[in-house]
């Protein structure tokens, strides 16, 4: 008897390289982008006090924004413990998350998904012209354990960000070093989580270093990495264990920030993410029929996903004169 086909896929496109060169912004009398110390870090802020950046590319109180915007903080993500970035958004009003597989997902914001919803990482877009209009798996390559906070703008943002922001814009702000005091500082933090439903083990470690200089400048460094193991899911409703739903991930990141003074800073950062054998179980013989859905015939239908982002950015605010702000960015993004 013929054996069911074996299907092992690499995420398509295998390599899409994006180069982005920022420009000097000449701004008169506009609110500056808040520095990382001023960004919201806790859920205790009142809605009219919370400063958001994505709504106008500057910085204004959320209450004054002309669009509907939600902010997810690091404490929210630790409590929800999402596997992926799309999972972190699924409790957000106005956002529906479609998940083809346990390690993949695509948010629908105001009914739009694919290249009609924009994802920014520290101001650098993940979306590109190779994305398809329907749900895709690429948002799953952003590590939730790297996130400081997330801003979700619901509704069209095309004037600010282009035609791929029809449904909305999500901006991920990654963690900064926590060492910004006088002299030399160092800090180490670890995070570990075990879940019995899928016998998963997730761990992350972070090292922060900081040095204040005699001229008033300050240099700080954050180095982080994590490893994740997910076993087969134990489903509810009498479904039992779902075979071929486990996979692995690892991630590494580093961010170096040099602050010349309270108005200007230079940022170097790198992020690497690897997802190994993330399955689309519904296409295999191990799938479970749900309300009459058809089970596949493939023995294996797994995806590997890789993403690497390196960037350098220069930010200066409250300069006075003809030029009030300067924001310049150069990045290399491969996927």
């Amino acid at each position: 008897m013929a054996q069911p086909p074996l299907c092992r896929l690499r995420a398509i496109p295998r390599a899409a390289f994006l180069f982005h060169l920022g420009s000097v912004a000449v701004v008169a009398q506009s609110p500056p982008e808040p520095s990382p110390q001023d960004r919201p870090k806790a859920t205790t802020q009142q809605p009219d006090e919370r400063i958001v950046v994505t709504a106008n590319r500057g910085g204004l109180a959320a209450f004054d924004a002309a669009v509907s915007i939600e902010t997810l903080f690091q404490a929210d993500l630790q409590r929800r413990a999402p596997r992926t970035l799309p999972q972190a958004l699924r409790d957000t009003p106005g956002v529906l998350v479609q998940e083809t597989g346990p390690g993949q997902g695509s948010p629908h914001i105001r009914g739009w998904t694919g290249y009609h919803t924009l994802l920014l990482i520290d101001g650098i877009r993940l979306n590109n012209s190779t994305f398809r209009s329907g749900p895709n798996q690429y948002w799953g390559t952003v590590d939730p354990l790297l996130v400081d906070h997330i801003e979700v703008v619901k509704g069209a943002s095309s004037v600010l960000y282009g035609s791929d922001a029809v449904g909305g814009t999500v901006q991920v702000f990654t963690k900064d070093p926590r060492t910004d005091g006088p002299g030399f500082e160092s800090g180490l933090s670890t995070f570990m989580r075990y879940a019995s439903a899928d016998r998963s083990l997730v761990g992350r470690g972070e090292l922060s270093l900081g040095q204040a200089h005699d001229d008033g400048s300050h240099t700080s460094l954050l180095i982080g990495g994590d490893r994740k193991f997910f076993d087969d899911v134990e489903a509810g409703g009498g479904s039992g264990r779902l075979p071929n739903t486990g996979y692995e991930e690892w991630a590494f990141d580093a961010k170096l920030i040099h602050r010349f003074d309270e108005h200007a800073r230079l940022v170097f950062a790198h992020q690497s993410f690897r997802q190994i054998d993330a399955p689309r179980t519904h296409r295999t013989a191990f799938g479970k029929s749900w309300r009459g859905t058809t089970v596949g015939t493939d023995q294996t239908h797994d995806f590997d996903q890789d993403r690497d982002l390196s960037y350098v950015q220069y930010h200066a605010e409250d300069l006075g004169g003809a030029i009030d702000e300067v924001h310049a960015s150069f990045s290399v993004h491969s996927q």
Side-chain angles (χ1 to χ4, degrees):
M1 185 174 73
Q3 294 293 321
L6 176 68
C7 182
R8 176 181 172 84
L9 301 181
R10 301 288 290 187
I12 304 298
R14 178 61 184 89
F17 295 93
L18 296 181
F19 298 87
H20 175 258
L21 179 61
S23 59
V24 175
V26 180
V27 182
Q29 303 301 323
S30 70
E33 177 188 351
S35 65
Q37 292 93 338
D38 298 328
R39 291 174 180 168
K41 293 294 194 300
T43 56
T44 57
Q45 292 172 304
Q46 297 300 316
D48 58 343
E49 298 174 345
R50 176 167 46 92
I51 300 299
V52 294
V53 175
T54 312
N56 72 338
R57 279 192 164 183
L60 78 167
F63 186 79
D64 297 329
V67 293
S68 175
I69 185 166
E70 301 275 348
T71 303
L72 303 177
F73 299 92
Q74 191 178 137
D76 301 322
L77 301 181
Q78 289 181 347
R79 183 174 63 253
R80 298 176 185 179
R83 281 194 184 196
T84 63
L85 179 67
Q87 277 193 1
L89 305 176
R90 62 185 176 186
D91 293 329
T92 304
V95 179
L96 171 68
V97 176
Q98 185 268 1
E99 294 182 270
T100 301
Q104 305 159 19
S106 184
H108 294 244
I109 305 176
R110 297 286 173 86
W112 297 91
T113 191
Y115 56 64
H116 294 300
T117 55
L118 175 62
L119 174 60
L120 301 171
I121 306 167
D122 292 333
I124 300 165
R125 64 180 57 227
L126 176 74
N127 300 51
N128 60 69
S129 59
T130 64
F131 280 29
R132 69 189 187 99
S133 60
N136 55 65
Q137 69 270 26
Y138 304 115
W139 286 50
T141 61
V142 179
D143 183 13
L145 296 180
L146 176 60
V147 175
D148 179 80
H149 68 282
I150 305 171
E151 293 181 358
V152 183
V153 176
K154 293 175 283 186
S157 308
S158 299
V159 172
L160 293 175
Y161 297 108
S163 60
D164 49 359
V166 178
T169 301
V170 176
Q171 181 154 203
V172 170
F173 295 91
T174 60
K175 294 178 180 178
D176 286 343
R178 303 299 184 186
T179 48
D180 54 6
F184 175 78
E185 287 186 314
S186 63
L188 180 66
S189 66
T190 58
F191 171 83
M192 185 166 290
R193 176 180 181 269
Y194 173 78
S196 59
D198 54 7
R199 293 164 298 283
S200 63
L201 183 62
V202 175
R204 176 175 173 83
E206 294 178 354
L207 173 65
S208 285
L209 302 173
Q211 176 66 57
H213 307 291
D214 294 337
D215 60 358
S217 62
H218 190 280
T219 304
S220 55
L221 172 67
L222 173 68
I223 300 174
D226 52 67
R227 196 77 166 91
K228 305 175 185 178
F229 299 91
F230 301 100
D231 204 346
D232 294 340
V233 174
E234 191 74 31
S239 299
R241 182 175 297 185
L242 305 181
N244 193 36
T245 54
Y247 63 98
E248 300 179 19
E249 290 179 356
W250 68 262
F252 169 81
D253 53 89
K255 181 183 283 189
L256 176 68
I257 302 177
H258 180 74
R259 302 187 183 281
F260 300 96
D261 51 40
E262 61 180 359
H263 301 294
R265 66 189 185 278
L266 187 65
V267 183
F268 298 89
H270 175 78
Q271 303 166 14
S272 289
F273 178 90
R274 300 292 182 268
Q275 190 179 73
I276 306 166
D277 291 343
R280 290 189 173 179
T281 312
H282 69 287
R283 293 188 179 182
T284 72
F286 301 101
K288 301 268 187 175
S289 178
W290 184 76
R291 295 187 177 181
T293 57
T294 302
V295 176
T297 58
D298 293 344
Q299 287 284 64
T300 304
H301 197 97
D302 293 342
F303 276 76
D304 292 345
Q305 291 201 100
D306 304 342
R307 187 181 69 85
D308 295 283
L309 169 63
S310 299
Y311 68 81
V312 56
Q313 295 178 340
Y314 175 75
H315 302 280
E317 299 98 9
D318 294 333
L319 299 179
I323 298 179
D324 189 55
E325 301 177 18
V326 176
H327 301 281
S329 176
F330 178 79
S331 63
V332 179
H333 210 167
S334 67
Q335 186 168 309

